Amino acid sequence: MEFAKAGKGDDAQFVALVLRKGWSAPKCVSIGKQKDYQEYIEKRFRAYEYEELGNAVWHDVLAAAGAKDGEVIYFSPDGFLYQMGIEYLTADGKLMNDTYQMYRLSSTRLLCQKTKDERQKTKDEGSMTLFGGLLYGRDNTRGEMFKYLPATLKEVENISALYPGAKTVTGAEGTEDAFYAMSGQSPTQLHIATHGFYIHGDKAQQMASNTRSAGFIQIGANSEIADNSMSRTGLLLCGAEVGWTGKASVQHQDGVLTAREIMLTDLHTTELAVLSACQTGMGDIEADGVAGLQRGLKMAGVQTMMMSLWDVNDEATGMLMSAFYEGILQGKPKHQALRDAQERVRTFKGNSAQAQRAIAEEEEYMTEVEEELAGNTRSARPLKFLRQNGGQGAASTASEESAKEKIPYAAPRYWAAFILLDAL
């Protein structure tokens, strides 16, 4: 299934080209216009809770394909679909990723470039390098502009325990120089747990005039390269506060690792790169894809990437990552390892401080929705992902004992942030 966009603006038309083995030509299925989806685009991760969205994207496409439960679906998105996990939508009463084996591709032409044996091969051997627990301030301090992330240190320690030979880069060691040192001899698996960022062009213009922020954007805007979209998304490494304010003496060692800098690095020996950070799957949407970290990594030679579409929860993300790598070590294909990891997160029962906050946020949101719906019968009603929590419903007043049995991360915002690209 190759999704395609025709036209510009709100009237841009989206279609899906559907092809099965044995067909002489693909079927073209219309899935509506950009303006039909604008309401859901603005809802961001809350959009996943509306079955109306899943039906709009998938119902007619699945019908045209004659799709049966359990079948493999290869799909390549376009337009706003690049930055929406459509494989995690609910369509016809079923969660897509549970019902089918979903493979997100940068282009379906990849299916013609690999042999069957290569597609089935999973690399659970080889080297691994992990970045996490980094210091963002100047002079090897935690800094003030960017929050130190203790959960990322725990995350990489947990993963390295699964891979005894893994190289862990933490604290003041996680510099841009440490990243560039991998060029030409990069590990089979690369895991980076840190802050990620994506700055829209309009916001970048405002930030470029602020002497306290985004010095790297000023550099990018003043460069000879007219399009600096690849300089507006990236990862924060050690000393990022210096680079962010534009006070670094050397641009490419300022602690702000942009997508443009990544694409100039040789990472062709890296089979899997996991960016365990916020918004690492975001970027400017262009005619040939997303101008962001995924393009930077792909041009650097990385085959498969796992990235996020929004700000992620520390506890849920740490749990998902550990489960994902456990699955890889068990010999599971990467897409299956991620699906099983997501299942662990969304069915997890816990009562940690973070879990309690997640439950409270979800109940507050559903209460607001119910109040809104009371006066508007035309509004779409989101799925109640807290319905599993002891049958209490969204605005539960369950006792402290029953709260221990609640499932804090059932909603998609906690487990659907990460997408897996080109995991063949």
Side-chain angles (χ1 to χ4, degrees):
M1 298 174 180
E2 186 94 25
F3 290 90
K5 172 187 174 185
K8 298 181 179 180
D10 289 344
D11 288 325
Q13 179 70 49
F14 283 82
V15 300
L17 300 172
V18 184
L19 184 66
R20 293 192 72 117
K21 182 178 180 179
W23 289 9
S24 60
K27 295 179 181 179
C28 183
V29 182
S30 171
I31 63 168
K33 296 183 177 181
Q34 173 92 16
K35 60 185 178 183
D36 300 329
Y37 292 92
Q38 195 57 45
E39 175 187 357
Y40 298 109
I41 294 172
E42 294 171 357
K43 289 181 184 297
R44 299 181 67 244
F45 52 76
R46 288 295 181 190
Y48 296 64
E49 302 184 11
Y50 292 80
E51 189 170 348
E52 291 87 348
L53 171 61
N55 288 335
V57 174
W58 287 113
H59 176 78
D60 291 345
V61 178
L62 294 172
K68 298 179 176 59
D69 290 4
E71 284 194 308
V72 175
I73 294 178
Y74 300 103
F75 73 95
S76 176
D78 197 4
F80 75 90
L81 299 177
Y82 278 123
Q83 298 180 339
M84 179 174 287
I86 57 176
E87 57 268 54
Y88 306 135
L89 298 178
T90 299
D92 299 329
K94 302 175 181 178
L95 183 63
M96 289 293 299
N97 208 42
D98 280 353
T99 307
Y100 308 97
Q101 300 180 58
M102 306 290 294
Y103 287 82
R104 173 183 287 257
L105 305 177
S106 52
S107 171
T108 53
R109 69 173 178 269
L110 293 177
L111 297 172
C112 304
Q113 297 175 349
K114 290 183 176 292
T115 66
K116 180 179 179 181
D117 289 340
E118 287 175 326
R119 289 202 302 270
Q120 291 179 340
K121 184 177 181 181
T122 58
K123 290 189 178 181
D124 55 1
E125 298 179 354
S127 57
M128 170 178 272
T129 298
L130 304 107
F131 285 71
L134 307 182
L135 302 176
Y136 305 110
R138 63 183 68 246
D139 301 324
N140 299 333
T141 63
R142 292 190 176 187
E144 299 176 355
M145 289 182 65
F146 304 112
K147 179 183 177 183
Y148 174 70
L149 302 174
T152 63
L153 178 59
K154 181 180 179 181
E155 181 178 316
V156 297
E157 288 176 342
N158 288 341
I159 297 170
S160 64
L162 301 173
Y163 292 80
K167 178 182 179 181
T168 303
V169 183
T170 63
E173 298 177 348
T175 62
E176 277 195 85
D177 281 344
F179 181 87
Y180 296 136
M182 297 186 296
S183 186
Q185 50 184 0
S186 59
T188 306
Q189 297 181 88
L190 173 63
H191 184 98
I192 304 179
T194 183
H195 286 292
F197 67 90
Y198 164 62
I199 303 170
H200 190 273
D202 294 339
K203 185 177 181 181
Q205 292 293 330
Q206 300 173 6
M207 295 178 70
S209 62
N210 186 336
T211 57
R212 182 171 165 72
S213 65
F216 66 95
I217 288 180
Q218 293 174 329
I219 294 172
N222 295 330
S223 70
E224 296 178 358
I225 304 172
D227 177 15
N228 68 342
S229 56
M230 295 286 284
S231 296
R232 291 188 274 103
T233 179
L235 302 168
L236 301 186
L237 301 181
C238 288
E241 289 188 0
V242 179
W244 196 268
T245 57
K247 296 178 181 178
S249 58
V250 181
Q251 177 186 355
H252 300 297
Q253 298 175 14
D254 58 8
V256 181
L257 182 65
T258 67
R260 183 177 299 284
E261 292 169 332
I262 290 174
M263 77 180 187
L264 299 176
T265 309
D266 180 4
L267 304 176
H268 76 276
T269 52
T270 296
E271 194 273 338
L272 170 66
V274 176
L275 304 182
S276 181
C278 300
Q279 303 186 62
T280 51
M282 302 297 285
D284 289 1
I285 300 175
E286 300 180 349
D288 57 346
V290 180
L293 285 165
Q294 57 186 275
R295 178 179 295 177
L297 289 168
K298 185 59 70 171
M299 294 184 71
V302 176
Q303 177 182 315
T304 303
M305 292 152 280
M306 190 155 83
M307 306 160 293
S308 67
L309 296 176
W310 55 78
D311 294 350
V312 295
N313 176 279
D314 286 346
E315 184 174 62
T317 298
M319 190 188 313
L320 183 143
M321 292 300 171
S322 293
F324 172 72
Y325 285 110
E326 287 172 10
I328 294 294
L329 285 174
Q330 292 168 10
K332 296 178 182 178
K334 289 182 285 293
H335 82 282
Q336 181 64 49
L338 177 57
R339 185 166 66 173
D340 290 350
Q342 291 170 323
E343 176 68 12
R344 182 181 298 184
V345 172
R346 72 188 199 207
T347 59
F348 168 74
K349 293 182 180 181
N351 197 32
S352 66
Q354 282 207 45
Q356 290 182 28
R357 285 196 295 271
I359 291 171
E361 289 173 0
E362 210 62 26
E363 291 181 342
E364 181 180 358
Y365 167 73
M366 290 305 301
T367 299
E368 292 175 357
V369 168
E370 294 297 337
E371 292 174 353
E372 179 182 332
L373 291 174
N376 187 353
T377 57
R378 296 183 62 185
S379 295
R381 182 180 295 271
L383 304 171
K384 288 188 177 181
F385 285 91
L386 282 179
R387 64 186 180 279
Q388 304 174 63
N389 296 334
Q392 300 295 328
S396 170
T397 56
S399 66
E400 181 178 345
E401 184 64 30
S402 61
K404 294 180 181 179
E405 298 302 315
K406 287 200 170 186
I407 306 174
Y409 304 129
R413 67 178 296 183
Y414 299 107
W415 55 265
F418 287 94
I419 55 174
L420 194 60
L421 182 67
D422 295 342
L424 293 174

